[in-house]
Amino acid sequence: MSYLFPNYKRKELELIKGAKQTLTDQKGQDYLDFTSGIGVMNLGYNDPELNQELLKQSNLLWHTPNLYENHLQEQTAEKLANGKDYISYFCNSGAEANEAAIKLARKATGKSKIITFVNSFHGRTYGAMSATGQDSIHEGFAPLVPDFVYLPFNEIEPLKATIDHHTAAVMLEVIQGEGGVSPADEQWIQAVQSLCHKFGALLIVDEIQTGMGRTGTLYAYEHYKIDPDIFTLAKGLGNGIPVGAMVGKASLATAFGPGSHGSTFGGNKLAMRVAYKVVERINQPIFLQDVQKKGQQLFHGLTQIAENNPIIKEVRGKGLMIGVEVSDQETLNATLEQLEAEGLLTLKAGQNVLRLLPPLTITEEEITKGLAILDKVLNNLVS
């Protein structure tokens, strides 16, 4: 008997330790990790510097309530602003960050209608789930939070027909992660921003999975030459320590005055000490250029495999966030199982997309090793 709710479909293996890009299970089997704990461990496992930062803070204070000043929050928020006029609210997860963004958008604009997109994923709490454009996520939880509208991704005409002066915000991922690793078209994203400006709606970018260097820039929206009113972070922000952030333009500050929103554990000192160091490490030109270079290596290697493999329909993504669409769900499941048996951990996205999210610290040699395993498994599935 398990004393846990069965809401997760768990594998039988248990990962008990890790170092850099390698994980080890309870039987001593090693795996090359192409998951980063679902986009979390951007700096890899058992990082000595992050371990030391956490240890230093654990010997001072774990927690103080948000009734008092917290210089670690201030320092981390300044890092996240990255020289722009942004301010931050800290919480514990991506879903919490998106909840805060939804509340801020409605309170700041005095409007309730929020437009999101089919196959989006924004979390599983009620507001974030209601923002998610997937029926399977909604099933069994009606009634949802009202006034969310779901439109086709990368199509501008439906948005033109729907957005109006009653719209509080348009909320989107610049690369839909859980929905299938589907990048937005740059012209579409820029048109979305223009429509938001025209109708006085806020543009919210969910960077939970794409942020913190994952695509080769600190934030993925930078690829699209836009200026969101609000963006949200989590996953890679704490490299495994639970932390989230809603980042918004300073002009929105008056909508989130005392008593408007809060979190007991949000921005606690342990999380902030680690998050500050994570942002400092990632937001370096040489580091981000290296992510882009390794992303190109992985993408090029996958496209070469795809050229001679009929079960691969498309390779897509940016940086070290790549999806390989295969012929069907059965093929995807077989691919995941065989890759694990060969010592490579990967993820699924959507119904039939193999999702690759290796740590940003992965080496070129490890990418080459991973590609060899992928080539072997995908070719075996053809024969």
Side-chain angles (χ1 to χ4, degrees):
M1 172 185 171
S2 173
Y3 290 91
L4 300 173
F5 274 101
N7 54 307
Y8 298 113
K9 187 177 181 181
R10 300 179 190 268
K11 296 179 177 292
E12 291 185 3
L13 70 87
E14 180 178 0
L15 301 169
I16 58 171
K17 65 179 180 179
K20 297 183 178 178
Q21 289 70 244
T22 300
L23 287 164
T24 306
D25 70 14
Q26 78 276 25
K27 297 178 181 179
Q29 174 68 46
D30 288 338
Y31 301 89
L32 178 59
D33 179 38
F34 269 36
T35 76
S36 300
I38 316 185
V40 171
M41 307 300 295
N42 285 6
L43 295 178
Y45 298 90
N46 201 19
D47 182 89
E49 186 176 24
L50 297 183
N51 289 350
Q52 191 61 32
E53 291 296 315
L54 188 62
L55 180 61
K56 287 178 184 177
Q57 189 58 49
S58 70
N59 287 322
L60 295 173
L61 273 174
W62 288 20
H63 171 79
T64 57
N66 285 306
L67 301 173
Y68 308 104
E69 291 291 336
N70 187 330
H71 77 281
L72 292 172
Q73 287 189 20
E74 289 285 354
Q75 290 175 350
T76 306
E78 183 178 1
K79 286 285 187 188
L80 294 178
N82 200 27
K84 297 183 179 180
D85 195 22
Y86 282 115
I87 57 178
S88 291
Y89 160 80
F90 291 106
C91 50
N92 307 288
S93 70
E96 285 187 27
N98 284 337
E99 292 283 346
I102 291 164
K103 287 181 67 175
L104 177 58
R106 286 182 167 178
K107 196 165 188 294
T109 63
K111 299 180 284 188
S112 63
K113 179 178 172 182
I114 296 179
I115 297 171
T116 67
F117 296 92
V118 175
N119 290 328
S120 61
F121 183 83
H122 299 293
R124 295 183 184 271
T125 50
Y126 255 95
M129 177 179 66
S130 300
T132 293
Q134 298 188 47
D135 291 340
S136 62
I137 302 296
H138 301 162
E139 187 176 349
F141 297 109
L144 302 178
V145 176
D147 291 345
F148 283 92
V149 179
Y150 315 110
L151 299 179
F153 191 63
N154 269 339
E155 295 183 25
I156 199 61
E157 292 305 321
L159 181 60
K160 287 180 178 179
T162 304
I163 193 169
D164 54 28
H165 289 289
H166 300 290
T167 304
V170 176
M171 185 175 188
L172 55 82
E173 304 152 275
V174 294
I175 304 174
Q176 290 189 331
E178 301 292 333
V181 193
S182 300
D185 176 76
E186 182 175 330
Q187 290 184 328
W188 178 75
I189 285 279
Q190 292 175 358
V192 171
Q193 179 171 260
S194 296
L195 286 169
C196 286
H197 291 167
K198 178 179 178 180
F199 289 99
L202 301 180
L203 176 59
I204 303 171
V205 177
D206 179 337
E207 290 263 12
I208 306 304
Q209 192 165 147
T210 57
M212 303 313 304
R214 173 56 54 186
T215 66
T217 53
L218 181 61
Y219 307 125
Y221 77 75
E222 295 175 64
H223 293 287
Y224 293 86
K225 302 177 181 64
I226 58 170
D227 184 30
D229 299 288
I230 300 169
F231 62 94
T232 54
L233 302 166
K235 289 191 180 290
L237 178 57
N239 210 65
I241 298 297
V243 60
M246 177 195 67
V247 185
K249 290 183 175 177
S251 58
L252 298 171
T254 55
F256 250 31
S260 59
H261 195 53
S263 168
T264 297
F265 297 111
N268 77 82
K269 289 179 179 289
L270 288 172
M272 290 295 96
R273 184 73 176 251
V274 174
Y276 177 86
K277 183 57 66 174
V278 168
V279 182
E280 183 178 67
R281 289 262 300 272
I282 289 175
N283 194 22
Q284 300 291 336
I286 293 176
F287 184 94
L288 293 170
Q289 289 165 14
D290 191 51
V291 172
Q292 293 175 27
K293 179 182 177 183
K294 289 182 291 191
Q296 289 168 2
Q297 178 193 356
L298 181 56
F299 192 91
H300 178 67
L302 289 166
T303 55
Q304 285 188 315
I305 294 171
E307 285 177 2
N308 301 307
N309 194 305
I311 68 172
I312 299 176
K313 297 173 68 176
E314 186 180 11
V315 178
R316 55 183 181 254
K318 287 184 183 294
L320 288 171
M321 181 178 182
I322 297 179
V324 181
E325 184 177 350
V326 297
S327 52
D328 53 56
Q329 189 171 5
E330 184 179 347
T331 299
L332 174 61
N333 292 338
T335 302
L336 290 164
E337 289 179 10
Q338 291 187 32
L339 288 172
E340 182 183 306
E342 292 288 338
L344 183 67
L345 298 182
T346 55
L347 297 162
K348 67 172 291 185
Q351 295 300 310
N352 61 325
V353 176
L354 179 69
R355 180 171 33 156
L356 306 176
L357 300 172
L360 308 185
T361 49
I362 194 166
T363 65
E364 292 181 13
E365 292 75 17
E366 287 169 328
I367 291 174
T368 299
K369 178 182 177 181
L371 284 167
I373 297 172
L374 284 157
D375 190 24
K376 176 183 177 180
V377 168
L378 289 165
N379 280 328
N380 285 344
L381 287 168
V382 174
S383 57

